């Protein structure tokens, strides 16, 4: 591949540029709960990368662990596809076997991303998932809410992560 072509393919796609602040590795702690379970704390590392495919896609993965023992907890990975009109579609596969397709919006002005599930597949209890990611003073904050067969949309996870 000549130099010009190589530079072109490793550049950030214009559709991804408004979300380029996400790219990299984030690490921090979170708190989980739900009306039907005991609350818990967890460690988390989250990674966003932009494969040099020239496609408008961000690859996403996260892993979590118990704070006392380091034992792995939930993990998930997927793809985020931002569009130039400020909308976003996301697919995520979870270590529990659950699969999510989410749609939403991002705001380049205040760096808030709001996602809501269009599809939740292979889930015994979960009916809906919403995710909000927000940059606050350089930290990445998120809140995940779930609705189940017994409960309306309620917070399950919230975390604050710093860029490594
Ligand atoms: C419990 C879903 C992410 C840790 C649950 C329950 C559901 C659920 C449906 C059971 C609630 C009930 O029994 O009424 C999800 C979904 C997730 C997610 C859809 C992602 C979108 C996570 C993550 C962690 C986690 C990232 C760990 C950091 C737990 C724990 C419980 C739980 C510890 C309690 C288990 C128990 O007491 O039996 N989750 N979860 N979950 N989740 Fe999640």
């Amino acid at each position: 591949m000549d130099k010009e072509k190589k530079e072109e393919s490793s550049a950030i796609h214009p559709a991804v540029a408004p979300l380029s602040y996400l790219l990299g590795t984030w690490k921090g702690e979170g708190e989980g709960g739900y009306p039907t379970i005991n609350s818990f704390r967890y460690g988390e590392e989250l990674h966003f990368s932009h494969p040099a495919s020239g496609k408008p896609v961000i690859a996403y993965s996260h892993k979590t662990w118990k704070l006392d023992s380091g034992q792995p907890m939930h993990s998930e990975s997927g793809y985020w596809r931002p569009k130039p009109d400020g909308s976003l579609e996301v697919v995520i596969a979870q270590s529990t076997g659950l699969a999510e397709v989410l749609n939403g919006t991002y705001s380049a002005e205040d760096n808030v991303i709001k996602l809501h599930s269009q599809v939740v597949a292979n889930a015994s209890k979960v009916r809906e998932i919403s995710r909000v990611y927000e940059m606050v003073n350089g930290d990445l904050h998120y809140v995940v809410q779930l609705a189940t067969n017994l409960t309306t949309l309620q917070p399950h996870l919230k975390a604050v992560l710093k860029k490594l």
Side-chain angles (χ1 to χ4, degrees):
M1 188 190 290
D2 64 37
K3 190 168 174 274
E4 200 176 313
K5 278 227 171 84
K6 198 171 173 192
E7 274 169 12
E8 208 174 279
S9 64
S10 61
I12 292 183
H13 189 285
V16 168
L19 295 180
S20 59
Y21 64 88
L22 289 174
L23 300 176
T25 302
W26 299 83
K27 194 170 178 181
E29 291 185 9
E31 194 181 332
Y34 205 63
T36 46
I37 63 172
N38 293 324
S39 59
F40 58 94
R41 292 193 60 79
Y42 59 94
E44 175 171 22
E45 193 170 295
L46 199 154
H47 187 68
F48 291 98
S49 63
H50 181 39
S53 62
K55 302 273 194 285
V57 63
I58 296 172
Y60 157 80
S61 64
H62 106 156
K63 61 180 180 182
T64 60
W65 57 87
K66 290 190 175 170
L67 285 172
D68 52 359
S69 61
Q71 188 187 337
M73 295 176 81
H74 182 107
S75 62
E76 60 188 32
S77 64
Y79 296 98
W80 294 37
R81 299 180 59 87
K83 316 280 175 188
D85 66 358
S87 66
L88 182 73
E89 59 183 45
V90 172
V91 292
I92 296 177
Q94 301 191 7
S95 53
T96 54
L98 183 152
E100 288 170 66
V101 180
L102 306 119
N103 288 98
T105 56
Y106 65 85
S107 156
E109 275 146 38
D110 49 10
N111 292 341
V112 179
I113 299 165
K114 294 181 180 168
L115 299 168
H116 191 267
S117 57
Q118 297 306 308
V119 176
V120 176
N122 203 30
S124 55
K125 295 182 178 175
V126 182
R127 296 290 175 263
E128 277 176 63
I129 300 171
S130 88
R131 295 172 177 252
V132 176
Y133 295 81
E134 185 174 6
M135 286 290 290
V136 181
N137 299 327
D139 293 339
L140 184 62
H141 291 227
Y142 75 76
V143 175
V144 174
Q145 298 198 74
L146 310 178
T148 64
N149 49 348
L150 298 176
T151 314
T152 56
L153 216 52
Q154 305 280 336
H156 182 42
L157 308 167
K158 67 174 178 187
V160 178
L161 307 158
K162 291 198 176 298
K163 202 167 215 174
L164 292 186

